[in-house]
Amino acid sequence: MNRYFKAQPVGTSDEWVRNPDWLPMPELDGTEEVFYALYAVFELGGNYLQFRAVTSGGLQVVDFGDGTSGTFNSGNIFTKEYEYNDIDPSTETIDEITGLKYRQVLIKITTTSSFDGFMIFREGDKMMNYLDIYIHAPNLTSFTNNSATTPWLERFRMYEWPVMPLNSVFVNATRMTETNIDWTKPTNFGSATYTNFKNFGDIDAINCVGNNTLFTFTRTMSNLKIGNVNYYGTNNAPFGTLNGINRIGKVYAPNVTSLMFLEWHNLEGTLEVEAPLLVNGTFFARDCSRVNKIILDAPNIENLNNFALACWAVSEIIFTDASNVNTINNNAFGNGTRNLRRLRLPGIKVSLYLIYVSIDVPEMVDLFNDLADLVALGLPSQNINITLSTASQKGLSQAQRDIALNKGWTITG
Amino acid sequence: MEDTSGFYKQLENEWWYAPNFVYHRDYTLDRNNNRIDIDGWVWYDEAPQEYVDYINSLENE
């Protein structure tokens, strides 16, 4: 009985360990187009396989792993129901989490031509019992999970990732933990719902363009870590509903004009973004309640309404250039950002509401130095409201206030 | 009852409110020492209804 497999409860950072009782997956060398799947055949039954491969004109050649095989035309759905007693008893394994007993088969699907598309299905209410999948199909243009649930799948690899959308490969893949994804290939990452991924590394999504999102309906990846991200699309929410990210490196988004990280409640540390065409920063980091620093390099940004609303933990917000900002409401920095200790807005020309923030006198002076010279620009006075801020409560000297006043600003509190 | 006294200034599309002080390069207002009407600033013991309506309109946006 296997007791080696260490389950990966969501929220841990443990490395994935392949069950040593599983049959080995073949090594691939890129010479053969093939779909390998390790499949669990449970003692309780319900061991259905339903699959369809579309090829460039050839056949689907299937080795079911139980001593049977078949050949099917391109695009035809084939179905197989495994019998537990027909499977090699030496492969018997017990799932540590459920206690369910299963035996294993290694399914191999090849083609006489080239694979264009894969689709996995569900049979009625039966789940698909994939454990480990390894594929070489470099010309694949689609891989769709037609409402199949793959709760046992732990690893999904491709020898060479094709350029295609990963629409729904990981639907309800509760245990999905390990993948070797080449982020330069997918046009999006699809609906990776209920997966257990922990770390995606750097993402350079050169094929995710236009209105495509990097992720779509994705959730329950709590504690997920992502490295630096290059997103070349234009969607204002490129991460979809992937709000379980715990850490993320620098996000470079050269084509977006609007961008938000709305309600990323699990994100800690720094949110750093470079977005040279970004104009609309409405709701940019609203409800990122654990972020402690925001750095935004977006010299064309204009609208900051609700920018950091309810960012309860944020202590620093640094803009590299705020000279084009023309709209800020009193929720941008002044509602819920009570821990805000440092705010830099170089070139800002419009009124600011910094009510209750923790910006102390030296940092407030830095901010005064950032303010645009409205007198020199011939612009009407703007208001910097510092009611109940730390600097206001401690008191600013006349010389410190004059930094703002001499540039045509009004200080209220 | 919430203390809404302070200096209020109505601009074309917004209101400014300062409960305690207003610093401008040409004048200073202070709730304890100087409550004069100047440059559009007016002292109110309670928030004027127009300001309340303005805040309500923001919250309803």
Side-chain angles (χ1 to χ4, degrees), chain A residues 138-184:
Chain A
N139 301 310
L140 212 58
T141 56
S142 69
F143 190 131
T144 308
N145 182 333
N146 187 18
S147 299
T149 52
T150 52
W152 314 99
L153 183 63
E154 294 184 21
R155 183 170 67 167
F156 182 97
R157 295 176 296 159
M158 290 202 182
Y159 179 81
E160 178 184 350
W161 283 79
V163 176
M164 68 171 191
L166 285 168
N167 291 358
S168 55
V169 175
F170 305 115
V171 168
N172 295 329
T174 317
R175 299 186 183 186
M176 188 65 215
T177 306
E178 187 78 0
T179 184
N180 65 342
I181 191 166
D182 175 354
W183 286 104
T184 65

mmCIF file of all heavy atoms in Angstrom, chain A residues 138-184:
data_model
loop_
_atom_site.group_PDB
_atom_site.id
_atom_site.type_symbol
_atom_site.label_atom_id
_atom_site.label_comp_id
_atom_site.label_asym_id
_atom_site.label_seq_id
_atom_site.Cartn_x
_atom_site.Cartn_y
_atom_site.Cartn_z
ATOM 1 N N PRO A 138 3.289 19.029 -31.342
ATOM 2 C CA PRO A 138 3.691 20.429 -31.548
ATOM 3 C C PRO A 138 2.785 21.217 -32.479
ATOM 4 O O PRO A 138 2.854 22.443 -32.497
ATOM 5 C CB PRO A 138 5.103 20.302 -32.122
ATOM 6 C CG PRO A 138 5.144 18.947 -32.748
ATOM 7 C CD PRO A 138 4.273 18.094 -31.886
ATOM 8 N N ASN A 139 1.923 20.516 -33.251
ATOM 9 C CA ASN A 139 1.029 21.223 -34.175
ATOM 10 C C ASN A 139 -0.385 21.366 -33.631
ATOM 11 O O ASN A 139 -1.285 21.805 -34.346
ATOM 12 C CB ASN A 139 0.996 20.492 -35.520
ATOM 13 C CG ASN A 139 2.382 20.405 -36.133
ATOM 14 O OD1 ASN A 139 3.085 21.413 -36.237
ATOM 15 N ND2 ASN A 139 2.802 19.199 -36.496
ATOM 16 N N LEU A 140 -0.545 21.001 -32.385
ATOM 17 C CA LEU A 140 -1.869 21.071 -31.764
ATOM 18 C C LEU A 140 -2.374 22.522 -31.771
ATOM 19 O O LEU A 140 -1.631 23.453 -31.455
ATOM 20 C CB LEU A 140 -1.745 20.595 -30.317
ATOM 21 C CG LEU A 140 -2.907 19.865 -29.656
ATOM 22 C CD1 LEU A 140 -3.284 18.616 -30.432
ATOM 23 C CD2 LEU A 140 -2.530 19.505 -28.218
ATOM 24 N N THR A 141 -3.639 22.689 -32.139
ATOM 25 C CA THR A 141 -4.228 24.027 -32.091
ATOM 26 C C THR A 141 -5.325 24.146 -31.041
ATOM 27 O O THR A 141 -5.792 25.245 -30.754
ATOM 28 C CB THR A 141 -4.823 24.419 -33.458
ATOM 29 O OG1 THR A 141 -5.774 23.432 -33.853
ATOM 30 C CG2 THR A 141 -3.724 24.522 -34.520
ATOM 31 N N SER A 142 -5.748 23.004 -30.491
ATOM 32 C CA SER A 142 -6.753 23.081 -29.424
ATOM 33 C C SER A 142 -6.623 21.866 -28.507
ATOM 34 O O SER A 142 -6.265 20.773 -28.945
ATOM 35 C CB SER A 142 -8.175 23.140 -29.998
ATOM 36 O OG SER A 142 -8.531 21.912 -30.583
ATOM 37 N N PHE A 143 -6.917 22.087 -27.253
ATOM 38 C CA PHE A 143 -6.993 21.010 -26.269
ATOM 39 C C PHE A 143 -8.128 21.397 -25.344
ATOM 40 O O PHE A 143 -8.017 22.350 -24.586
ATOM 41 C CB PHE A 143 -5.686 20.889 -25.487
ATOM 42 C CG PHE A 143 -5.626 19.642 -24.632
ATOM 43 C CD1 PHE A 143 -4.518 18.826 -24.686
ATOM 44 C CD2 PHE A 143 -6.661 19.280 -23.790
ATOM 45 C CE1 PHE A 143 -4.445 17.675 -23.914
ATOM 46 C CE2 PHE A 143 -6.611 18.152 -23.021
ATOM 47 C CZ PHE A 143 -5.492 17.349 -23.080
ATOM 48 N N THR A 144 -9.214 20.674 -25.440
ATOM 49 C CA THR A 144 -10.423 21.091 -24.743
ATOM 50 C C THR A 144 -10.885 20.009 -23.795
ATOM 51 O O THR A 144 -10.872 18.828 -24.129
ATOM 52 C CB THR A 144 -11.550 21.379 -25.758
ATOM 53 O OG1 THR A 144 -11.046 22.285 -26.731
ATOM 54 C CG2 THR A 144 -12.745 21.992 -25.067
ATOM 55 N N ASN A 145 -11.271 20.433 -22.645
ATOM 56 C CA ASN A 145 -11.865 19.548 -21.665
ATOM 57 C C ASN A 145 -13.357 19.798 -21.684
ATOM 58 O O ASN A 145 -13.835 20.820 -21.200
ATOM 59 C CB ASN A 145 -11.277 19.869 -20.282
ATOM 60 C CG ASN A 145 -11.810 18.972 -19.202
ATOM 61 O OD1 ASN A 145 -12.915 18.462 -19.294
ATOM 62 N ND2 ASN A 145 -11.028 18.780 -18.175
ATOM 63 N N ASN A 146 -14.098 18.882 -22.310
ATOM 64 C CA ASN A 146 -15.522 19.091 -22.506
ATOM 65 C C ASN A 146 -16.295 18.709 -21.245
ATOM 66 O O ASN A 146 -16.968 17.690 -21.178
ATOM 67 C CB ASN A 146 -16.001 18.285 -23.713
ATOM 68 C CG ASN A 146 -17.437 18.607 -24.067
ATOM 69 O OD1 ASN A 146 -17.972 19.626 -23.651
ATOM 70 N ND2 ASN A 146 -18.062 17.731 -24.828
ATOM 71 N N SER A 147 -16.155 19.573 -20.253
ATOM 72 C CA SER A 147 -16.846 19.404 -18.971
ATOM 73 C C SER A 147 -16.404 18.163 -18.201
ATOM 74 O O SER A 147 -17.065 17.758 -17.246
ATOM 75 C CB SER A 147 -18.377 19.355 -19.156
ATOM 76 O OG SER A 147 -18.817 20.561 -19.710
ATOM 77 N N ALA A 148 -15.353 17.521 -18.642
ATOM 78 C CA ALA A 148 -14.813 16.431 -17.837
ATOM 79 C C ALA A 148 -14.232 17.011 -16.556
ATOM 80 O O ALA A 148 -13.727 18.119 -16.539
ATOM 81 C CB ALA A 148 -13.738 15.686 -18.609
ATOM 82 N N THR A 149 -14.345 16.261 -15.502
ATOM 83 C CA THR A 149 -13.638 16.654 -14.299
ATOM 84 C C THR A 149 -12.461 15.705 -14.138
ATOM 85 O O THR A 149 -12.590 14.496 -14.330
ATOM 86 C CB THR A 149 -14.535 16.578 -13.055
ATOM 87 O OG1 THR A 149 -15.127 15.279 -13.013
ATOM 88 C CG2 THR A 149 -15.629 17.630 -13.133
ATOM 89 N N THR A 150 -11.322 16.242 -13.834
ATOM 90 C CA THR A 150 -10.108 15.443 -13.730
ATOM 91 C C THR A 150 -9.515 15.622 -12.337
ATOM 92 O O THR A 150 -8.428 16.170 -12.180
ATOM 93 C CB THR A 150 -9.091 15.872 -14.804
ATOM 94 O OG1 THR A 150 -8.905 17.288 -14.716
ATOM 95 C CG2 THR A 150 -9.575 15.516 -16.192
ATOM 96 N N PRO A 151 -10.226 15.153 -11.316
ATOM 97 C CA PRO A 151 -9.808 15.452 -9.943
ATOM 98 C C PRO A 151 -8.550 14.726 -9.506
ATOM 99 O O PRO A 151 -7.965 15.074 -8.488
ATOM 100 C CB PRO A 151 -11.015 15.003 -9.109
ATOM 101 C CG PRO A 151 -11.649 13.934 -9.918
ATOM 102 C CD PRO A 151 -11.463 14.357 -11.344
ATOM 103 N N TRP A 152 -8.147 13.701 -10.268
ATOM 104 C CA TRP A 152 -6.981 12.929 -9.850
ATOM 105 C C TRP A 152 -5.709 13.399 -10.533
ATOM 106 O O TRP A 152 -4.622 12.981 -10.154
ATOM 107 C CB TRP A 152 -7.204 11.436 -10.153
ATOM 108 C CG TRP A 152 -8.548 10.939 -9.726
ATOM 109 C CD1 TRP A 152 -9.646 10.754 -10.498
ATOM 110 C CD2 TRP A 152 -8.938 10.596 -8.387
ATOM 111 N NE1 TRP A 152 -10.698 10.322 -9.746
ATOM 112 C CE2 TRP A 152 -10.298 10.207 -8.444
ATOM 113 C CE3 TRP A 152 -8.273 10.587 -7.159
ATOM 114 C CZ2 TRP A 152 -10.996 9.810 -7.311
ATOM 115 C CZ3 TRP A 152 -8.987 10.186 -6.038
ATOM 116 C CH2 TRP A 152 -10.327 9.809 -6.126
ATOM 117 N N LEU A 153 -5.876 14.226 -11.546
ATOM 118 C CA LEU A 153 -4.715 14.651 -12.337
ATOM 119 C C LEU A 153 -3.779 15.521 -11.498
ATOM 120 O O LEU A 153 -4.196 16.525 -10.933
ATOM 121 C CB LEU A 153 -5.182 15.443 -13.565
ATOM 122 C CG LEU A 153 -4.100 15.904 -14.532
ATOM 123 C CD1 LEU A 153 -3.383 14.717 -15.167
ATOM 124 C CD2 LEU A 153 -4.700 16.820 -15.602
ATOM 125 N N GLU A 154 -2.508 15.108 -11.439
ATOM 126 C CA GLU A 154 -1.538 15.864 -10.646
ATOM 127 C C GLU A 154 -0.489 16.556 -11.507
ATOM 128 O O GLU A 154 0.081 17.562 -11.101
ATOM 129 C CB GLU A 154 -0.830 14.938 -9.647
ATOM 130 C CG GLU A 154 -1.757 14.384 -8.588
ATOM 131 C CD GLU A 154 -1.025 13.560 -7.551
ATOM 132 O OE1 GLU A 154 0.205 13.727 -7.399
ATOM 133 O OE2 GLU A 154 -1.675 12.717 -6.908
ATOM 134 N N ARG A 155 -0.207 15.961 -12.676
ATOM 135 C CA ARG A 155 0.852 16.555 -13.498
ATOM 136 C C ARG A 155 0.434 16.547 -14.963
ATOM 137 O O ARG A 155 -0.160 15.575 -15.449
ATOM 138 C CB ARG A 155 2.168 15.793 -13.322
ATOM 139 C CG ARG A 155 3.329 16.416 -14.093
ATOM 140 C CD ARG A 155 4.655 15.824 -13.729
ATOM 141 N NE ARG A 155 4.800 14.427 -14.132
ATOM 142 C CZ ARG A 155 5.955 13.766 -14.138
ATOM 143 N NH1 ARG A 155 7.066 14.368 -13.712
ATOM 144 N NH2 ARG A 155 6.001 12.504 -14.516
ATOM 145 N N PHE A 156 0.767 17.626 -15.647
ATOM 146 C CA PHE A 156 0.459 17.750 -17.071
ATOM 147 C C PHE A 156 1.667 18.383 -17.740
ATOM 148 O O PHE A 156 2.054 19.505 -17.417
ATOM 149 C CB PHE A 156 -0.773 18.643 -17.259
ATOM 150 C CG PHE A 156 -1.212 18.808 -18.688
ATOM 151 C CD1 PHE A 156 -2.231 18.034 -19.206
ATOM 152 C CD2 PHE A 156 -0.608 19.743 -19.518
ATOM 153 C CE1 PHE A 156 -2.649 18.186 -20.520
ATOM 154 C CE2 PHE A 156 -1.009 19.893 -20.834
ATOM 155 C CZ PHE A 156 -2.032 19.120 -21.333
ATOM 156 N N ARG A 157 2.265 17.642 -18.663
ATOM 157 C CA ARG A 157 3.462 18.166 -19.341
ATOM 158 C C ARG A 157 3.327 18.019 -20.850
ATOM 159 O O ARG A 157 2.628 17.133 -21.338
ATOM 160 C CB ARG A 157 4.716 17.403 -18.887
ATOM 161 C CG ARG A 157 5.091 17.570 -17.437
ATOM 162 C CD ARG A 157 6.267 16.704 -17.101
ATOM 163 N NE ARG A 157 5.950 15.297 -17.249
ATOM 164 C CZ ARG A 157 6.849 14.333 -17.422
ATOM 165 N NH1 ARG A 157 8.140 14.630 -17.490
ATOM 166 N NH2 ARG A 157 6.465 13.070 -17.545
ATOM 167 N N MET A 158 4.022 18.886 -21.546
ATOM 168 C CA MET A 158 4.171 18.735 -22.991
ATOM 169 C C MET A 158 5.667 18.766 -23.296
ATOM 170 O O MET A 158 6.409 19.555 -22.691
ATOM 171 C CB MET A 158 3.453 19.850 -23.746
ATOM 172 C CG MET A 158 1.933 19.756 -23.673
ATOM 173 S SD MET A 158 1.174 20.647 -25.025
ATOM 174 C CE MET A 158 -0.576 20.409 -24.667
ATOM 175 N N TYR A 159 6.058 17.926 -24.230
ATOM 176 C CA TYR A 159 7.470 17.904 -24.611
ATOM 177 C C TYR A 159 7.835 19.222 -25.284
ATOM 178 O O TYR A 159 8.887 19.788 -25.036
ATOM 179 C CB TYR A 159 7.739 16.735 -25.561
ATOM 180 C CG TYR A 159 9.177 16.655 -26.019
ATOM 181 C CD1 TYR A 159 10.154 16.086 -25.208
ATOM 182 C CD2 TYR A 159 9.554 17.170 -27.259
ATOM 183 C CE1 TYR A 159 11.475 16.024 -25.621
ATOM 184 C CE2 TYR A 159 10.865 17.121 -27.675
ATOM 185 C CZ TYR A 159 11.827 16.544 -26.861
ATOM 186 O OH TYR A 159 13.132 16.488 -27.269
ATOM 187 N N GLU A 160 6.927 19.681 -26.129
ATOM 188 C CA GLU A 160 7.111 20.977 -26.794
ATOM 189 C C GLU A 160 5.748 21.640 -26.840
ATOM 190 O O GLU A 160 4.837 21.151 -27.489
ATOM 191 C CB GLU A 160 7.656 20.776 -28.208
ATOM 192 C CG GLU A 160 7.843 22.050 -28.978
ATOM 193 C CD GLU A 160 8.304 21.786 -30.422
ATOM 194 O OE1 GLU A 160 8.655 20.628 -30.733
ATOM 195 O OE2 GLU A 160 8.294 22.720 -31.208
ATOM 196 N N TRP A 161 5.612 22.756 -26.145
ATOM 197 C CA TRP A 161 4.293 23.385 -26.052
ATOM 198 C C TRP A 161 3.911 24.013 -27.371
ATOM 199 O O TRP A 161 4.678 24.793 -27.936
ATOM 200 C CB TRP A 161 4.280 24.431 -24.941
ATOM 201 C CG TRP A 161 4.188 23.808 -23.588
ATOM 202 C CD1 TRP A 161 5.210 23.242 -22.888
ATOM 203 C CD2 TRP A 161 3.025 23.627 -22.806
ATOM 204 N NE1 TRP A 161 4.745 22.731 -21.706
ATOM 205 C CE2 TRP A 161 3.401 22.954 -21.620
ATOM 206 C CE3 TRP A 161 1.684 23.982 -22.974
ATOM 207 C CZ2 TRP A 161 2.488 22.621 -20.635
ATOM 208 C CZ3 TRP A 161 0.776 23.657 -21.980
ATOM 209 C CH2 TRP A 161 1.179 22.989 -20.830
ATOM 210 N N PRO A 162 2.708 23.717 -27.877
ATOM 211 C CA PRO A 162 2.228 24.351 -29.101
ATOM 212 C C PRO A 162 1.648 25.731 -28.826
ATOM 213 O O PRO A 162 1.314 26.052 -27.683
ATOM 214 C CB PRO A 162 1.138 23.389 -29.589
ATOM 215 C CG PRO A 162 0.615 22.763 -28.354
ATOM 216 C CD PRO A 162 1.762 22.713 -27.373
ATOM 217 N N VAL A 163 1.530 26.532 -29.873
ATOM 218 C CA VAL A 163 0.869 27.829 -29.742
ATOM 219 C C VAL A 163 -0.631 27.598 -29.834
ATOM 220 O O VAL A 163 -1.154 27.269 -30.892
ATOM 221 C CB VAL A 163 1.329 28.800 -30.847
ATOM 222 C CG1 VAL A 163 0.558 30.117 -30.756
ATOM 223 C CG2 VAL A 163 2.824 29.053 -30.733
ATOM 224 N N MET A 164 -1.317 27.716 -28.706
ATOM 225 C CA MET A 164 -2.770 27.477 -28.707
ATOM 226 C C MET A 164 -3.357 27.962 -27.387
ATOM 227 O O MET A 164 -2.641 28.138 -26.406
ATOM 228 C CB MET A 164 -3.057 25.983 -28.858
ATOM 229 C CG MET A 164 -2.637 25.165 -27.673
ATOM 230 S SD MET A 164 -3.229 23.466 -27.785
ATOM 231 C CE MET A 164 -2.865 22.902 -26.137
ATOM 232 N N PRO A 165 -4.680 28.172 -27.378
ATOM 233 C CA PRO A 165 -5.323 28.500 -26.108
ATOM 234 C C PRO A 165 -5.480 27.240 -25.260
ATOM 235 O O PRO A 165 -5.796 26.175 -25.776
ATOM 236 C CB PRO A 165 -6.696 29.038 -26.541
ATOM 237 C CG PRO A 165 -6.945 28.396 -27.864
ATOM 238 C CD PRO A 165 -5.606 28.203 -28.517
ATOM 239 N N LEU A 166 -5.235 27.364 -23.998
ATOM 240 C CA LEU A 166 -5.464 26.246 -23.074
ATOM 241 C C LEU A 166 -6.836 26.453 -22.438
ATOM 242 O O LEU A 166 -6.958 26.747 -21.260
ATOM 243 C CB LEU A 166 -4.367 26.207 -22.014
ATOM 244 C CG LEU A 166 -3.025 25.688 -22.516
ATOM 245 C CD1 LEU A 166 -1.936 25.959 -21.492
ATOM 246 C CD2 LEU A 166 -3.097 24.218 -22.821
ATOM 247 N N ASN A 167 -7.868 26.276 -23.266
ATOM 248 C CA ASN A 167 -9.205 26.712 -22.868
ATOM 249 C C ASN A 167 -9.655 26.169 -21.524
ATOM 250 O O ASN A 167 -10.089 26.888 -20.660
ATOM 251 C CB ASN A 167 -10.224 26.287 -23.923
ATOM 252 C CG ASN A 167 -10.048 27.063 -25.203
ATOM 253 O OD1 ASN A 167 -9.191 27.928 -25.272
ATOM 254 N ND2 ASN A 167 -10.836 26.749 -26.194
ATOM 255 N N SER A 168 -9.575 24.853 -21.382
ATOM 256 C CA SER A 168 -10.229 24.272 -20.210
ATOM 257 C C SER A 168 -9.550 22.973 -19.792
ATOM 258 O O SER A 168 -10.206 22.094 -19.247
ATOM 259 C CB SER A 168 -11.704 24.011 -20.524
ATOM 260 O OG SER A 168 -11.809 23.205 -21.683
ATOM 261 N N VAL A 169 -8.279 22.869 -20.069
ATOM 262 C CA VAL A 169 -7.589 21.604 -19.835
ATOM 263 C C VAL A 169 -7.690 21.173 -18.378
ATOM 264 O O VAL A 169 -7.835 19.990 -18.068
ATOM 265 C CB VAL A 169 -6.109 21.724 -20.242
ATOM 266 C CG1 VAL A 169 -5.354 20.452 -19.882
ATOM 267 C CG2 VAL A 169 -6.003 22.018 -21.728
ATOM 268 N N PHE A 170 -7.650 22.142 -17.483
ATOM 269 C CA PHE A 170 -7.542 21.795 -16.069
ATOM 270 C C PHE A 170 -8.838 22.024 -15.295
ATOM 271 O O PHE A 170 -8.810 22.317 -14.108
ATOM 272 C CB PHE A 170 -6.403 22.590 -15.427
ATOM 273 C CG PHE A 170 -5.096 22.407 -16.129
ATOM 274 C CD1 PHE A 170 -4.486 23.460 -16.779
ATOM 275 C CD2 PHE A 170 -4.481 21.169 -16.152
ATOM 276 C CE1 PHE A 170 -3.288 23.289 -17.438
ATOM 277 C CE2 PHE A 170 -3.282 20.975 -16.813
ATOM 278 C CZ PHE A 170 -2.679 22.044 -17.461
ATOM 279 N N VAL A 171 -9.962 21.871 -15.960
ATOM 280 C CA VAL A 171 -11.246 22.105 -15.281
ATOM 281 C C VAL A 171 -11.393 21.169 -14.083
ATOM 282 O O VAL A 171 -11.270 19.951 -14.213
ATOM 283 C CB VAL A 171 -12.422 21.900 -16.252
ATOM 284 C CG1 VAL A 171 -13.736 21.855 -15.493
ATOM 285 C CG2 VAL A 171 -12.441 23.011 -17.276
ATOM 286 N N ASN A 172 -11.640 21.754 -12.955
ATOM 287 C CA ASN A 172 -11.860 21.008 -11.717
ATOM 288 C C ASN A 172 -10.746 20.005 -11.417
ATOM 289 O O ASN A 172 -10.987 18.937 -10.856
ATOM 290 C CB ASN A 172 -13.206 20.288 -11.764
ATOM 291 C CG ASN A 172 -14.352 21.271 -11.804
ATOM 292 O OD1 ASN A 172 -14.249 22.358 -11.248
ATOM 293 N ND2 ASN A 172 -15.430 20.919 -12.460
ATOM 294 N N ALA A 173 -9.541 20.356 -11.812
ATOM 295 C CA ALA A 173 -8.388 19.504 -11.544
ATOM 296 C C ALA A 173 -7.876 19.832 -10.141
ATOM 297 O O ALA A 173 -6.872 20.512 -9.956
ATOM 298 C CB ALA A 173 -7.307 19.720 -12.592
ATOM 299 N N THR A 174 -8.578 19.309 -9.176
ATOM 300 C CA THR A 174 -8.359 19.696 -7.789
ATOM 301 C C THR A 174 -6.916 19.512 -7.336
ATOM 302 O O THR A 174 -6.384 20.293 -6.562
ATOM 303 C CB THR A 174 -9.272 18.858 -6.872
ATOM 304 O OG1 THR A 174 -10.552 18.784 -7.452
ATOM 305 C CG2 THR A 174 -9.349 19.468 -5.494
ATOM 306 N N ARG A 175 -6.273 18.449 -7.827
ATOM 307 C CA ARG A 175 -4.920 18.134 -7.347
ATOM 308 C C ARG A 175 -3.817 18.610 -8.285
ATOM 309 O O ARG A 175 -2.652 18.338 -8.030
ATOM 310 C CB ARG A 175 -4.785 16.625 -7.179
ATOM 311 C CG ARG A 175 -5.737 16.031 -6.175
ATOM 312 C CD ARG A 175 -5.419 14.573 -5.970
ATOM 313 N NE ARG A 175 -6.364 13.960 -5.059
ATOM 314 C CZ ARG A 175 -6.249 12.719 -4.610
ATOM 315 N NH1 ARG A 175 -5.242 11.955 -4.998
ATOM 316 N NH2 ARG A 175 -7.144 12.217 -3.775
ATOM 317 N N MET A 176 -4.190 19.265 -9.349
ATOM 318 C CA MET A 176 -3.205 19.642 -10.364
ATOM 319 C C MET A 176 -2.129 20.534 -9.754
ATOM 320 O O MET A 176 -2.407 21.629 -9.293
ATOM 321 C CB MET A 176 -3.930 20.377 -11.493
ATOM 322 C CG MET A 176 -3.076 20.646 -12.690
ATOM 323 S SD MET A 176 -2.562 19.151 -13.511
ATOM 324 C CE MET A 176 -0.945 19.663 -14.025
ATOM 325 N N THR A 177 -0.910 20.057 -9.754
ATOM 326 C CA THR A 177 0.160 20.736 -9.031
ATOM 327 C C THR A 177 1.368 21.039 -9.901
ATOM 328 O O THR A 177 2.060 22.018 -9.689
ATOM 329 C CB THR A 177 0.609 19.862 -7.835
ATOM 330 O OG1 THR A 177 -0.540 19.546 -7.052
ATOM 331 C CG2 THR A 177 1.616 20.586 -6.961
ATOM 332 N N GLU A 178 1.624 20.193 -10.873
ATOM 333 C CA GLU A 178 2.899 20.272 -11.580
ATOM 334 C C GLU A 178 2.670 20.395 -13.080
ATOM 335 O O GLU A 178 1.895 19.637 -13.678
ATOM 336 C CB GLU A 178 3.716 18.993 -11.290
ATOM 337 C CG GLU A 178 5.121 19.015 -11.828
ATOM 338 C CD GLU A 178 6.065 19.844 -10.978
ATOM 339 O OE1 GLU A 178 5.628 20.405 -9.961
ATOM 340 O OE2 GLU A 178 7.241 19.929 -11.345
ATOM 341 N N THR A 179 3.343 21.354 -13.693
ATOM 342 C CA THR A 179 3.319 21.475 -15.146
ATOM 343 C C THR A 179 4.647 22.077 -15.580
ATOM 344 O O THR A 179 5.346 22.713 -14.787
ATOM 345 C CB THR A 179 2.144 22.347 -15.621
ATOM 346 O OG1 THR A 179 2.118 22.357 -17.043
ATOM 347 C CG2 THR A 179 2.252 23.763 -15.111
ATOM 348 N N ASN A 180 4.980 21.855 -16.836
ATOM 349 C CA ASN A 180 6.237 22.408 -17.352
ATOM 350 C C ASN A 180 5.931 23.480 -18.390
ATOM 351 O O ASN A 180 6.672 23.660 -19.344
ATOM 352 C CB ASN A 180 7.087 21.296 -17.992
ATOM 353 C CG ASN A 180 6.432 20.709 -19.226
ATOM 354 O OD1 ASN A 180 5.232 20.871 -19.432
ATOM 355 N ND2 ASN A 180 7.211 20.031 -20.052
ATOM 356 N N ILE A 181 4.865 24.196 -18.201
ATOM 357 C CA ILE A 181 4.350 25.101 -19.219
ATOM 358 C C ILE A 181 5.408 26.076 -19.741
ATOM 359 O O ILE A 181 6.185 26.651 -18.984
ATOM 360 C CB ILE A 181 3.130 25.861 -18.672
ATOM 361 C CG1 ILE A 181 2.420 26.611 -19.769
ATOM 362 C CG2 ILE A 181 3.514 26.792 -17.536
ATOM 363 C CD1 ILE A 181 1.043 27.085 -19.373
ATOM 364 N N ASP A 182 5.439 26.201 -21.065
ATOM 365 C CA ASP A 182 6.295 27.181 -21.728
ATOM 366 C C ASP A 182 5.433 28.409 -21.994
ATOM 367 O O ASP A 182 4.609 28.420 -22.899
ATOM 368 C CB ASP A 182 6.832 26.592 -23.041
ATOM 369 C CG ASP A 182 7.636 27.609 -23.831
ATOM 370 O OD1 ASP A 182 7.679 28.796 -23.429
ATOM 371 O OD2 ASP A 182 8.215 27.216 -24.862
ATOM 372 N N TRP A 183 5.625 29.428 -21.197
ATOM 373 C CA TRP A 183 4.712 30.565 -21.228
ATOM 374 C C TRP A 183 4.812 31.392 -22.501
ATOM 375 O O TRP A 183 3.995 32.291 -22.711
ATOM 376 C CB TRP A 183 4.953 31.460 -20.012
ATOM 377 C CG TRP A 183 4.423 30.862 -18.753
ATOM 378 C CD1 TRP A 183 5.135 30.269 -17.760
ATOM 379 C CD2 TRP A 183 3.054 30.770 -18.354
ATOM 380 N NE1 TRP A 183 4.306 29.817 -16.771
ATOM 381 C CE2 TRP A 183 3.020 30.118 -17.114
ATOM 382 C CE3 TRP A 183 1.861 31.183 -18.931
ATOM 383 C CZ2 TRP A 183 1.829 29.861 -16.444
ATOM 384 C CZ3 TRP A 183 0.681 30.932 -18.262
ATOM 385 C CH2 TRP A 183 0.678 30.285 -17.034
ATOM 386 N N THR A 184 5.787 31.120 -23.340
ATOM 387 C CA THR A 184 5.839 31.865 -24.604
ATOM 388 C C THR A 184 4.872 31.292 -25.629
ATOM 389 O O THR A 184 4.715 31.853 -26.704
ATOM 390 C CB THR A 184 7.254 31.839 -25.209
ATOM 391 O OG1 THR A 184 7.587 30.494 -25.571
ATOM 392 C CG2 THR A 184 8.284 32.377 -24.230
#
